[in-house]
Amino acid sequence: ASSIIEEEENYEGVGIVDKQAKLLYAVKVKAYKIFEKYVAVDSEFEINISSAQRKKISDLVDDYQQWIATNVNMQDLLLMFEPCKVEVYSHLLFSFHRLRSTTNYPVI
């Protein structure tokens, strides 16, 4: 994900001059790239989340042109993957508790 975050967005041909609009556009593009890489069905690093959560995000982001044109505020945009993070964290926590209960855990 760090390459997605660090990559500069190209504004040529987009027609955006306002600094806030450029920032919003860049965050939308990054959100789309995160969706493609982690949330979309059969994506390269598909995360384990509920189908309901995947559908909720897919309905918003799946169509790139529609997503870029969507009127969304920065706060909602920055928090859109929070439910996914919570689900993945809960799966990891469950696995960690199982690992801790094994006899080999103190050796690790």
Side-chain angles (χ1 to χ4, degrees):
S2 63
S3 64
I4 293 172
I5 304 302
E6 294 169 0
E7 186 177 317
E8 282 287 319
E9 299 308 327
N10 183 358
Y11 301 103
E12 288 182 35
V14 179
I16 300 174
V17 292
D18 177 65
K19 195 172 187 174
Q20 281 298 107
K22 278 185 178 181
L23 178 60
L24 187 62
Y25 173 80
V27 174
K28 281 183 173 181
V29 170
K30 290 176 191 314
Y32 181 79
K33 289 177 181 179
I34 290 170
F35 165 77
E36 276 191 315
K37 190 170 185 176
Y38 299 104
V39 180
V41 174
D42 296 327
S43 58
E44 183 180 7
F45 298 104
E46 185 177 348
I47 57 174
N48 185 9
I49 57 174
S50 68
S51 59
Q53 186 59 44
R54 191 176 314 278
K55 181 175 177 2
K56 184 176 179 183
I57 292 178
S58 293
D59 287 349
L60 284 173
V61 183
D62 195 30
D63 182 320
Y64 180 79
Q65 296 301 324
Q66 186 176 345
W67 168 242
I68 294 300
T70 299
N71 186 18
V72 61
N73 66 45
M74 187 62 79
Q75 182 177 355
D76 290 342
L77 192 54
L78 295 174
L79 295 175
M80 72 182 286
F81 293 108
E82 283 302 308
C84 296
K85 288 170 38 180
V86 169
E87 280 192 53
V88 170
Y89 180 76
S90 69
H91 295 311
L92 289 171
L93 198 56
F94 179 71
S95 295
F96 177 68
H97 288 303
R98 278 195 347 241
L99 173 66
R100 258 186 23 198
S101 67
T102 64
T103 56
N104 290 335
Y105 178 73
V107 177
I108 300 173

